[in-house]
Amino acid sequence: MRDVLGPLLAGWGTGGTAGLATVVRTFNSAPRPAGASMLVTTEGEAVGSVSGGCVEAAVYELATEVAADGRPQLVRYGITDDDAFAVGLTCGGILDVFVEPISPETFRELDSVRQDIDNSAPVAVATVIEHPDDRRLGRHLIIRPHGFEGSLGSDRADGAVSDDALGMLAAGRNSILTYGPEGERLGEGMTVFINSFAPRPRMLVFGAIDFAAALARLGTFLGYRVTVCDARSVFATERRFPGAEVVVAWPHRYLTEQISDRLVDERTVMCVLTHDPKFDVPLLEVALSGPPVAYIGAMGSRRTHDDRVARLREVGLGDDELALLHSPIGLDLGSRTPEETAVSIAAEIISLQWGGTGKPLGTLAAPIHHEEAVAPA
């Protein structure tokens, strides 16, 4: 929903009804993950995607119908369906898509969710996607770390779902939960989709060079909250890095402060592009001995890397800490320009995040998408 929130709120603010389709469950090689959304606005415009183009035409028609009649629907698209080839889902994947009408009457809490997302405050939206009482379908519960808003139809359901959703919110996970009709934990009949909106992960880019400008743009595109840090004020300017937070400070001092303030976590990626020992050695000493993060990479030639490793050993870092360092940074794409180098760095980050090999997909027999659910019998 995050990607379609702007157009969704525009129609919501006028009192109109839009149709929102959300992927709630996937199996096999599904093209989009749970949480991916497609919106049919009050003006009939399609925004977003649930399948990268495979079933969008069918979903558009259904979302238009749901917006008109106000009845939510849970539908499955897959290669085994009679109309699979008609809707175009020929990749072998299966998508469960929940389509609901969105208006001030059906989702009065939408603006408060938008405020949380804009302020990088953690918030999750629980939506009833299956229930024996059709009147419960599409009900929302808004879960925050210190409470909830809205109702799924009973106090018991609200309490159970809010408790269970907190762990998913902390991890930024989207998934379904199953309960009895009134929220009984050992029951079935009510299925709830949890859509978590955790604060965006951070990308810390050290070194205000042209490669950093390209990487900052790509990092923002990938959904990171990007900070560029350099001690040289003449280079570290907002004009050179639009859309990123720009900090003028010695990198190792800034990182030490961020760690002390608990603003660095396991989703944080760090890209050290200074390739200057007076900056990157003290910085990497802090980074490699600090709390666990998703990625630490450093730019430089192999000779620079060898010299850097020797200097890091001199300040006391051992094999375990040095094994966390990805250097020279990026995958071997034959990159030349700053933009190509940024793609190479991002490719390495993505590969590590999802367990990819970095090899051409055409040479592999393994599933294209990693961490996939098993299709139901």
Side-chain angles (χ1 to χ4, degrees), residues 64-237:
T64 302
E65 175 187 328
V66 166
D69 64 25
R71 295 197 297 269
Q73 294 191 45
L74 177 65
V75 295
R76 173 166 291 181
Y77 298 100
I79 190 64
T80 58
D81 297 343
D82 292 338
D83 62 346
F85 285 94
V87 300
L89 190 60
T90 59
C91 62
I94 298 173
L95 294 174
D96 283 350
V97 179
F98 184 68
V99 187
E100 59 183 312
I102 300 293
S103 70
E105 288 72 32
T106 65
F107 200 165
R108 64 179 180 81
E109 306 89 359
L110 182 61
D111 190 54
S112 69
V113 173
R114 186 268 307 168
Q115 293 178 39
D116 286 329
I117 294 174
D118 287 350
N119 294 328
S120 294
V123 61
V125 178
T127 305
V128 178
I129 62 173
E130 289 182 301
H131 201 282
D133 183 352
D134 288 346
R135 294 172 297 179
R136 299 274 193 97
L137 291 177
R139 287 204 176 208
H140 303 102
L141 187 72
I142 314 305
I143 299 107
R144 300 180 175 92
H146 304 292
F148 61 84
E149 177 185 9
S151 178
L152 302 181
S154 74
D155 292 342
R156 183 173 185 176
D158 295 344
V161 173
S162 62
D163 286 346
D164 295 344
L166 285 176
M168 298 173 63
L169 175 58
R173 290 180 50 234
N174 302 328
S175 189
I176 61 170
L177 300 172
T178 302
Y179 303 87
E182 299 302 323
E184 302 92 336
R185 294 186 183 278
L186 298 179
E188 58 183 26
M190 180 173 72
T191 304
V192 179
F193 177 65
I194 309 297
N195 200 351
S196 298
F197 300 95
R200 290 182 297 165
R202 299 190 68 189
M203 173 181 282
L204 305 180
V205 181
F206 298 99
I209 61 176
D210 50 357
F211 291 92
L215 182 59
R217 292 195 298 271
L218 184 54
T220 300
F221 175 75
L222 292 174
Y224 288 96
R225 181 163 66 92
V226 180
T227 300
V228 177
C229 176
D230 197 301
R232 302 164 296 181
S233 60
V234 67
F235 297 116
T237 65

Side-chain angles (χ1 to χ4, degrees), residues 25 109 117 124 199-200 212 251 254 257 302 309 317 338 348:
R25 183 165 38 194
E109 306 89 359
I117 294 174
R200 290 182 297 165
Y254 173 72
E257 292 173 355
R302 299 192 187 281
V309 168
L317 268 63
E348 183 174 43

